[in-house]
Amino acid sequence: ELKVEQNPLFLSMQEGKNYTIYCNYSTTSDRLYWYRQDPGKSLESLFVLLSNGAVKQEGRLMASLDTKARLSTLHITAAVHDLSATYFCAVDYVTGKLIFGQGTTLQVKP
Amino acid sequence: NAGVTQTPKFQVLKTGQSMTLQCAQDMNHEYMSWYRQDPGMGLRLIHYSVGAGITDQGEVPNGYNVSRSTTEDFPLRLLSAAPSQTSVYFCASSEGLSPFQPQHFGDGTRLSIL
C-alpha cells in the first residue's frame, strides 16, 4: 500500500528559529509537491519537485527531494508568524494520482 | 480570475439523500480531480479526469460518481448520502500531466450528513 508520511504532525516553534518538516513516501516517484493550507481555506501550491536532487526556495521556505531515499524536506529558516499554517506534501505515483501526507500544522509563536 | 469555482460552499443532507457538488474551471485545464479532506488524514483522491469524456477512480471512489462532458465542468454526485461522507470536498484542476503541473484548488464544499 502506498503511504506518504509526514513528521512531525504538529510543530510549535518560536519566531526566528529554524526547523525541518519531513515527508517520506513508500513508492518510486520523482514528482513531489508541497502545499500550504490556512485554517478554513483552500490549498495553495508552494513547490513542485520533479527530479532527484531538486531544490526550490521561496522566501524562508526551501524544499528538496531525494528520490533514492524517498524523502522530501521542507526547511523553514528564521520562522515568522505568517508561516503558521498546515503544510502538505503529495506524491504523484501514477500520472494523475496524488497521494497526500497527513499534513504538518505549524504554529509560530511571537 | 475565477479559477476553480465550487458550489455550494456548505450543505447539510439527511442520510439517503442525493446531491451533486459542482466544480467549474475557466482555465481550460485538461486535468480535474475531487478530494475529500478529513481531520488527520490529509486529502484523499476520490475521482479524477484527464479530459472531457475520461474519468478514473482514485483512492476512495465508493459512494461517488463523476462525469466529464465538458472541459470546464466536473460534478461529483453522491447517490445515497451516508454519515461517513461528512467531509470537506475540494475540486482541483491543472494544466497538464507532463510534467505534472501543480493543481489549483477550489475553496471547498463543507458537507454534513445527518
Side-chain angles (χ1 to χ4, degrees):
Chain A
E1 180 184 348
L2 171 66
K3 289 185 178 180
V4 179
E5 296 183 335
Q6 292 181 231
N7 73 84
L9 300 183
F10 182 79
L11 177 57
S12 180
M13 56 192 299
Q14 296 288 331
E15 281 191 330
K17 299 293 186 181
N18 303 332
Y19 210 83
T20 300
I21 299 170
Y22 297 89
C23 174
N24 292 272
Y25 55 97
S26 64
T27 192
T28 301
S29 176
D30 57 4
R31 293 184 288 205
L32 190 138
Y33 310 83
W34 284 96
Y35 290 89
R36 168 182 171 146
Q37 185 179 38
D38 293 307
K41 302 294 185 180
S42 185
L43 280 80
E44 171 191 358
S45 175
L46 292 175
F47 300 109
V48 179
L49 304 170
L50 297 177
S51 62
N52 186 43
V55 177
K56 295 280 185 73
Q57 183 165 6
E58 180 72 33
R60 300 175 187 273
L61 300 178
M62 182 174 70
S64 65
L65 178 61
D66 181 342
T67 58
K68 294 179 181 178
R70 299 179 184 175
L71 171 69
S72 180
T73 61
L74 180 65
H75 186 73
I76 302 151
T77 301
V80 293
H81 180 69
D82 285 352
L83 291 179
S84 297
T86 298
Y87 294 85
F88 292 95
C89 64
V91 175
D92 180 15
Y93 74 104
V94 171
T95 299
K97 287 190 174 183
L98 284 186
I99 300 295
F100 278 76
Q102 312 98 307
T104 297
T105 298
L106 173 65
Q107 184 182 74
V108 181
K109 298 179 178 179
Chain B
N1 287 350
V4 178
T5 302
Q6 290 184 237
T7 56
K9 295 190 182 304
F10 303 93
Q11 185 70 50
V12 179
L13 292 178
K14 294 181 179 179
T15 297
Q17 287 184 315
S18 63
M19 81 160 295
T20 298
L21 307 186
Q22 301 291 343
C23 176
Q25 51 92 7
D26 61 358
M27 298 172 282
N28 201 33
H29 285 173
E30 291 296 325
Y31 180 89
M32 296 186 74
S33 55
W34 275 102
Y35 296 87
R36 59 178 289 173
Q37 183 175 28
D38 301 297
M41 300 187 71
L43 277 74
R44 291 182 291 170
L45 181 65
I46 304 171
H47 286 286
Y48 67 100
S49 169
V50 297
I54 305 170
T55 64
D56 204 350
Q57 297 181 349
E59 291 180 87
V60 288
N62 293 339
Y64 307 95
N65 279 355
V66 292
S67 61
R68 185 95 179 269
S69 57
T70 67
T71 299
E72 295 78 20
D73 300 301
F74 191 43
L76 178 72
R77 298 184 189 84
L78 283 70
L79 300 178
S80 180
S84 61
Q85 294 178 305
T86 293
S87 189
V88 180
Y89 291 84
F90 286 99
C91 178
S93 72
S94 66
E95 185 174 351
L97 297 177
S98 180
F100 197 87
Q101 300 296 324
Q103 295 187 78
H104 299 258
F105 283 83
D107 289 337
T109 294
R110 285 149 183 81
L111 183 61
S112 292
I113 315 294
L114 304 179

